[in-house]
DNA sequence: CCTTGACTTGGAGTAAACTCTAAGTAGTAA
DNA sequence: TTACTACTTAGAGTTTACTCCAAGTCAAGG
């Protein structure tokens, strides 16, 4: 079973424009059927999905282009594929850490501002700009 | 104590170009001293660092510009600041999830290819392109 | 005095990843 | 038949976030 560009686009939530762009870049090149119409196979679909997952964690299309070529080369590219993947894994691990830390920071900031709102309402105090500034900087 | 642009740049690892760009965008506007030279205060420094942290988790400069303006408005902007922060927190949580999932995927892929390399070496088998394709698609 | 180095400006240029346009063809539904 | 929709192409345009350039000012060290 194959997909037309419009079908695949809807199935996976990637615009037709983008799919054509990926084809131009050599990332996912579907076969062509009658009337020169693109026919995406199940494998093509899985490959696009893989690309999306890698992009979600910040892999560049450049790297993905590279990786795709290695994949297409068969056995010989395997070692280099592993290298790309492990390099990326390290990047993902670091980013996970960054995200965790920044989630903490966000929690603190949000707490701080929610409290400063509450205090202002209940005590009807005017919390000056300067105070706010000072407290905010501690976060 | 204040910093010149070059000093701040070195301290926080952001290029002078970028600092000037942030100023142009109204994100961090330092005072000027003698000879019209930028003087970044401790607060300016903290603000740039905050910007960097938010950018690390994908907040756009547009949102940060907005946020900065609200901060400068004093009390009145607080509710909207909280909104920006909580919206972003949700995004960060989702991204954390995405990253975790994709780390799992990477682990599987790497395992798969490392095993296929090992098998080929020890058994001296030719693992065909087609086989590889099939197994890879399962991931 | 001269060079070096840090600073200033406005504005142009760049990279990545789309995103869209124009002009056209081909198949289907009423 | 006519309208509608999906598809085709090459190539231009857009967005974000820088990044750099040219031309100039200014203070300190040798």
């Amino acid at each position: 079973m194959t997909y037309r560009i419009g079908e695949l686009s809807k199935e996976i939530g990637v615009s037709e424009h983008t799919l054509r762009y990926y084809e131009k870049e050599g990332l996912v090149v579907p076969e062509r059927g009658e009337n020169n119409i693109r026919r995406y196979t199940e494998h093509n679909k899985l490959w696009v999905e893989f690309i999306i997952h890698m992009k979600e964690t910040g892999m560049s299309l450049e790297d993905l282009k590279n990786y795709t070529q290695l994949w297409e080369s068969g056995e010989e590219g395997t070692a280099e594929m592993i290298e790309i993947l492990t390099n990326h894994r390290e990047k993902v691990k670091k980013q996970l850490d960054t995200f965790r830390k920044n989630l903490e920071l966000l929690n603190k900031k949000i707490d701080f501002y929610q409290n400063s709102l509450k205090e202002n309402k209940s005590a009807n105090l005017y919390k000056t700009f300067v105070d706010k500034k000072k407290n905010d900087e501690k976060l």
Side-chain angles (χ1 to χ4, degrees), chain A:
Chain A
M1 193 257 191
T2 58
Y3 308 85
R4 286 186 156 208
I5 194 165
E7 289 163 356
L8 186 63
S9 167
K10 264 171 216 152
E11 284 241 3
I12 63 181
V14 167
S15 80
E16 300 183 19
H17 288 309
T18 301
L19 288 172
R20 288 195 201 97
Y21 171 67
Y22 285 174
E23 181 177 350
K24 194 155 55 180
E25 296 294 308
L27 285 164
V28 189
V29 182
E31 316 251 287
R32 298 301 181 108
E34 286 266 309
N35 302 113
N36 200 28
I37 286 177
R38 291 171 180 82
R39 299 246 136 246
Y40 289 90
T41 63
E42 205 57 38
H43 170 68
N44 289 148
K45 184 184 168 192
L46 288 161
W47 199 258
V48 181
E49 283 170 340
F50 172 65
I51 285 169
I52 292 163
H53 288 313
M54 292 303 101
K55 270 179 47 53
E56 279 170 351
T57 42
M59 189 182 272
S60 68
L61 291 193
E62 196 55 35
D63 279 1
L64 283 164
K65 213 185 291 188
N66 215 315
Y67 184 83
T68 303
Q69 271 164 21
L70 290 168
W71 194 89
E72 280 161 358
S73 78
E75 285 305 302
E76 18 166 7
T78 310
E80 218 179 316
M81 281 171 76
I82 293 173
E83 210 193 315
I84 291 175
L85 293 176
T86 47
N87 283 345
H88 189 59
R89 178 166 61 180
E90 284 320 294
K91 261 176 50 189
V92 170
K93 280 181 187 167
K94 268 183 203 139
Q95 286 188 85
L96 259 171
D97 227 65
T98 304
F99 270 70
R100 284 200 198 97
K101 272 180 198 140
N102 286 326
L103 182 57
E104 260 320 287
L105 175 62
L106 275 166
N107 284 334
K108 272 188 210 158
K109 286 261 176 196
I110 290 166
D111 269 14
F112 171 76
Y113 284 112
Q114 276 173 343
N115 283 336
S116 83
L117 259 194
K118 237 184 285 171
E119 281 164 29
N120 271 20
K121 275 194 184 157
S122 61
N124 205 22
L125 288 169
Y126 178 69
K127 218 165 171 2
T128 67
F129 186 48
V130 174
D131 275 358
K132 188 172 167 184
K133 215 171 191 169
K134 269 187 193 153
N135 287 309
D136 188 32
E137 282 185 355
K138 287 178 198 152
L139 305 178

